[in-house]
Amino acid sequence: MTRTDYIPELSEVRMVRRAPEHPFPFGDDDRAYVSGRLRDVEEAFGFTAFPGLAFDQIPARALISRFIAWWRTLEPETPAQVEAHAQLPAAIRLLDTVSTWLEEQAQRHPQNGR
């Protein structure tokens, strides 16, 4: 069910590094979408990704890193797994877009401390 021979691509490493150490400041729609993708994968593959943490407590860097690792290493076997796995790239792109936006905001407004 999981590949172990995965070596991250440079673009993936950069996405993880770009993500902040704190949780993403999602709007309601993005929060619902990303938390839904997280739940889909957890339910389909039968594990809990971040035990003891509410979604709004998950550090952004850990979240995008986990999504990328799942995309590259999980090998879906059931229809539910195939569906959950197929949704990961869009969620990863959304997370990276938010990271990029936060980075741009920090450059424009350095006094905010981000």
Side-chain angles (χ1 to χ4, degrees):
M1 179 159 82
T2 304
R3 286 186 14 222
T4 56
D5 61 343
Y6 165 65
I7 298 172
E9 295 178 6
L10 180 58
S11 62
E12 295 166 343
V13 170
R14 287 181 175 160
M15 280 188 252
V16 171
R17 287 183 185 161
R18 185 173 22 255
E21 292 285 353
H22 55 81
F24 280 115
F26 289 119
D28 292 340
D29 290 342
D30 291 344
R31 179 182 296 106
Y33 179 78
V34 175
S35 66
R37 300 305 64 79
L38 176 62
R39 277 192 315 275
D40 291 346
V41 172
E42 289 177 325
E43 290 173 11
F45 288 89
F47 54 74
T48 302
F50 300 96
L53 290 180
F55 180 76
D56 289 333
Q57 296 174 312
I58 301 169
R61 190 168 292 176
L63 184 61
I64 195 168
S65 177
R66 188 72 49 94
F67 276 28
I68 291 168
W70 287 342
W71 171 245
R72 296 297 187 192
T73 63
L74 290 177
E75 294 182 347
E77 297 172 355
T78 68
Q81 290 175 348
V82 169
E83 179 65 26
H85 188 260
Q87 298 300 316
L88 287 170
I92 292 165
R93 282 190 295 275
L94 174 60
L95 296 174
D96 190 48
T97 299
V98 173
S99 292
T100 301
W101 180 81
L102 291 171
E103 196 174 59
E104 289 171 358
Q105 292 302 306
Q107 289 172 359
R108 287 185 190 141
H109 309 287
Q111 71 277 8
N112 290 342
R114 291 188 194 189

